[in-house]
Amino acid sequence: MKESNSVRALEVEGLEFSYTGYQKVLGGVDLEIGCGERVGLIGPNGAGKTTFFLVVCGVLKATAGEVKLFGHPVSSGLFNPDVGMVFQKPDDQLFCPSVWEDVAFGPLNMGLDPDEVEGRVARAMAVTGIRELAERPVHHLSEGEKRLVTIACVLAMESAMILYDEPSASLDIRSRRRLISLLQKSEETLLIASHDLELILEVCSRVILLDRGKIVADGDPRKIMADEVLMEAHGQERPHSLVPHQIHHHQSA
């Protein structure tokens, strides 16, 4: 689905969420993301990143506030093909007997004709490099292979916005580089939650630092993540590539 750039991909206003019996996980989040933006979401464990994603997808219902996707309010509990999410734990997402069936599940449930489903599955498996896994049982895969299958599942939906929750977890170097290349070439609006800060630097033109359910910084990834005081105050470290390196010059005797 292609949307006009005059419409925001995501608009969040006064968003709050609490699990029953617990304090707020999200406490008044305001955010706008334009169509085609690639935005990183960073923060310590427990900051509310995954919960935020689940509210945006409509899996969880906000306690207060409003969420709009491409100008339309999000309704909890309803399937929305405009947004897809790669879950942090692949086993929460994969449940079919074979890889092909898992990747085809979304397109089939969108009511697409068989040829369109076949084409989408083939494209998604090709771009993630998992074609040879098509007939394999999911429970026979490694964690890294499962991760790539979950990404293919979401790509096959061809959603206008994709939420990636720790997409590089368990990937080897080659698969991680393939993922980064895929993300850099994506035309969809991307929101990527990750502790892999080097990936965020390579892929995203904007980063949001979330802590205790609130946005504490929003802007240029290199400026925000190079701020050692800010990062350490919110449980983060500067990416290695942003740490100044001193060059020692040795004078000749």
Side-chain angles (χ1 to χ4, degrees):
M1 176 180 178
K2 300 299 180 184
E3 296 283 344
S4 166
N5 285 331
S6 63
V7 177
R8 294 290 184 184
L10 178 64
E11 297 171 88
V12 177
E13 184 176 354
L15 179 62
E16 297 183 2
F17 180 84
S18 301
Y19 291 101
T20 304
Y22 294 89
Q23 64 183 24
K24 289 179 182 177
V25 179
L26 299 172
V29 175
D30 296 306
L31 176 65
E32 288 190 355
I33 294 177
C35 293
E37 276 197 272
R38 296 197 293 262
V39 182
L41 183 62
I42 65 173
N45 291 334
K49 300 186 295 296
T50 298
T51 299
F52 178 71
F53 277 2
L54 293 174
V55 173
V56 169
C57 284
V59 175
L60 296 176
K61 184 177 181 179
T63 307
E66 186 176 32
V67 179
K68 289 183 179 180
L69 281 170
F70 302 103
H72 303 292
V74 170
S75 299
S76 62
L78 296 180
F79 171 66
N80 186 345
D82 286 344
V83 60
M85 178 174 171
V86 177
F87 283 68
Q88 186 176 139
K89 297 178 181 178
D91 288 337
D92 291 341
Q93 189 170 343
L94 305 175
F95 51 85
C96 292
S98 72
V99 168
W100 192 94
E101 290 170 285
D102 257 316
V103 179
F105 181 83
L108 284 170
N109 280 274
M110 293 170 67
L112 301 176
D113 65 67
D115 288 342
E116 177 67 14
V117 172
E118 287 280 357
R120 288 192 179 202
V121 171
R123 290 191 294 273
M125 290 200 296
V127 77
T128 52
I130 61 167
R131 281 181 292 196
E132 71 279 5
L133 304 178
E135 302 306 319
R136 291 269 297 276
V138 172
H139 62 274
H140 287 174
L141 303 179
S142 69
E143 287 302 306
E145 288 171 333
K146 288 181 182 179
R147 172 71 58 191
L148 294 172
V149 174
T150 63
I151 293 171
C153 289
V154 173
L155 292 179
M157 300 282 290
E158 297 189 1
S159 302
M161 182 174 187
I162 302 179
L163 313 178
Y164 286 92
D165 198 353
E166 298 294 346
S168 64
S170 303
L171 295 185
D172 59 24
I173 293 174
R174 181 181 296 131
S175 296
R176 179 178 175 275
R177 292 311 315 174
R178 178 189 287 271
L179 170 66
I180 289 173
S181 177
L182 182 159
L183 295 174
Q184 289 173 332
K185 295 174 183 176
S186 292
E187 295 183 0
E188 303 89 353
T189 304
L190 304 182
L191 187 51
I192 306 168
S194 184
H195 292 295
D196 185 348
L197 301 186
E198 297 291 354
L199 178 148
I200 297 294
L201 282 174
E202 288 197 55
V203 172
C204 300
S205 58
R206 176 182 172 193
V207 72
I208 294 165
L209 175 57
L210 189 71
D211 195 8
R212 298 182 182 180
K214 295 181 180 293
I215 294 175
V216 295
D218 180 353
D220 185 325
R222 292 189 170 273
K223 290 182 179 178
I224 289 174
M225 290 196 278
D227 188 332
E228 185 175 12
V229 174
L230 174 68
M231 293 289 280
E232 290 187 358
H234 298 284
Q236 307 291 284
E237 289 185 341
R238 282 185 298 177
H240 181 72
S241 61
L242 297 183
V243 176
H245 297 284
Q246 293 183 349
I247 300 175
H248 299 280
H249 299 280
H250 299 279
Q251 292 184 343
S252 321

